[in-house]
Amino acid sequence: MDSLHHFVGGMQNVLTPGMLLYALIGCLVGMVVGILPGFGPAAATALLFPLTFSLSATESLVMMAAVLYGATYGGSITAVLLKVPGEASSVATTLDGHAMAKAGRAGPALVIAAVGGFVACLVATVGFVAATPLTRFAITLGPVEMFALTVLALLIAAGLVGRSITKGLIAVALGLLLATVGRDPLTGVERFTAGADGLIDGLDIIPVIMGLFGLTELFTTIERRYREQKAITVGRVMPSRRDVVDSVGPIARGSVIGFFLGLVPGSPGATTSFASYALERKLAKHPEQFGKGAIQGVAGPESANNALSVAGMIPLFTLGIPSSATMAIMFGVFTSNGLIPGPKLFTDHPDVPWTILASIVVGNVILLILNVPLVRIWVLVLKTPYPVLYAVVVVFLVIGAYSLRNNTFDIIILLGSGLFGYLLAKIDVPASPIALTLVLGDLMENSFRQTLALSQGSVTGFVSSTTAVVIYIITAVALASIPLGRASRANRERRRHDQIAPHSPVGV
């Protein structure tokens, strides 16, 4: 009942003219940035971080949360209209969404995507409210348990992000190296600063993330040669009764899948949306229609994608552990406003998390209202010359990096991080684990040292807690299941390919 009471109070805060305005701005800006090819929620939130500097903590976070789920929907717009996913999690949507668009059914595809996203966010928000008792458990965690949790978060992120666990571990190692730059937290000795005054306090996470995601995406986007955009006829906007009936089940199942996978640290949106897509194809009466314009192929993945974006906030709000690169940026929004996300957030500043929770519901209502009449406008935005978009993006990134501390050294960090991220992209090393490690690096190091101090230098201290041992077991099982699951999927795909591949002719 306490959770419901706090949620009602948060809803009252959101339904003020000022908060509604910031939620509206966040939804609009998030959608506009989200439709830019290659710019997903992580890049969008990093790009728009400077907009939060002149606002209060609650206003900033309400707007940033709206940017997050607004950008999530924006990725589906380009996926349907142009077959260019705005983010990796929208790739599954392109399979049937663009096929519907070519058939003159872009309107129903986008409307179902919006409705599915709205329902999924409601389901995830209810689950979020039900999960807030985790904060009472989190308060009891000591350094032994916190170190185990950081190991879980980083190793699972390394395993799930990208196609190679090895490359994911390399990214985690690079992130840990970057996290050690600056003063030693215990002795005060400078580490890896190379004599640069700007590195004494460590790397500021915001310029690094803006470079790793915003600038890197810009470099890779420029590198790609865009094919000429073909005009898409939206046609009828509202879905038919059959479309609605066919979408109910996929929306419900996608919402549940997205919510539970959102609780896993580092769970990528592409995996979540494809898991929903695979399930719908398996359950469909006519699976042969998938890839040719099946509405289920849009409803399921988009619902899973939107539920994931909300559920991903739960580890951050309740445990102080970001579950994705976007949540790492949200972590930066908290800290830049003097707030520390985690269990004490709900006790020391309850109005902030509950107002944000309530704003998710209100923001998705705003998105649902806006999306249908703006379908044709998004097509016009996508025809803006790319050089103009690039120039605007660079200006936002540079201003954002400089505005953090009014320090030109942060611009250098931005540029260096962008080039570093571009090099990582060329060798297919994911950047998301680096962002997570930068956020969790200090927590991991401090809990590591505190555990050693408590056990007088004995490594047995790391398994002195039953909770920690359980977390390590979960980590080991999860890591073992990742390659097994990938091998199983590869075998199924190979067998399916062998079944449909035409037999080579024998003889002449």
Side-chain angles (χ1 to χ4, degrees), residues 217-226 390 394:
E217 292 290 356
L218 180 63
F219 290 155
T220 54
T221 300
I222 293 175
E223 185 183 37
R224 290 194 298 265
R225 178 180 298 176
Y226 284 93
Y390 299 155
V394 170

Side-chain angles (χ1 to χ4, degrees), residues 381-415:
V381 173
L382 290 169
K383 293 180 180 179
T384 303
Y386 286 111
V388 175
L389 296 178
Y390 299 155
V392 172
V393 167
V394 170
V395 169
F396 266 91
L397 289 172
V398 172
I399 292 177
Y402 180 78
S403 300
L404 287 170
R405 299 182 293 186
N406 294 327
N407 189 346
T408 54
F409 188 80
D410 287 332
I411 299 178
I412 298 176
I413 297 297
L414 168 73
L415 297 176

Side-chain angles (χ1 to χ4, degrees), residues 403-493:
S403 300
L404 287 170
R405 299 182 293 186
N406 294 327
N407 189 346
T408 54
F409 188 80
D410 287 332
I411 299 178
I412 298 176
I413 297 297
L414 168 73
L415 297 176
S417 300
L419 292 174
F420 182 54
Y422 175 73
L423 293 176
L424 292 178
K426 298 296 288 184
I427 59 177
D428 199 27
V429 173
S432 296
I434 297 178
L436 297 183
T437 309
L438 277 173
V439 173
L440 297 177
D442 288 341
L443 175 61
M444 190 176 199
E445 182 179 5
N446 290 334
S447 58
F448 177 81
R449 292 191 173 190
Q450 291 169 1
T451 300
L452 287 178
L454 290 172
S455 62
Q456 298 180 347
S458 174
V459 293
T460 58
F462 293 100
V463 292
S464 60
S465 165
T466 303
T467 302
V469 172
V470 172
I471 294 174
Y472 288 133
I473 292 174
I474 293 173
T475 304
V477 172
L479 284 177
S481 66
I482 291 172
L484 293 176
R486 289 176 177 175
S488 176
R489 287 194 297 270
N491 290 332
R492 287 198 301 269
E493 289 296 328

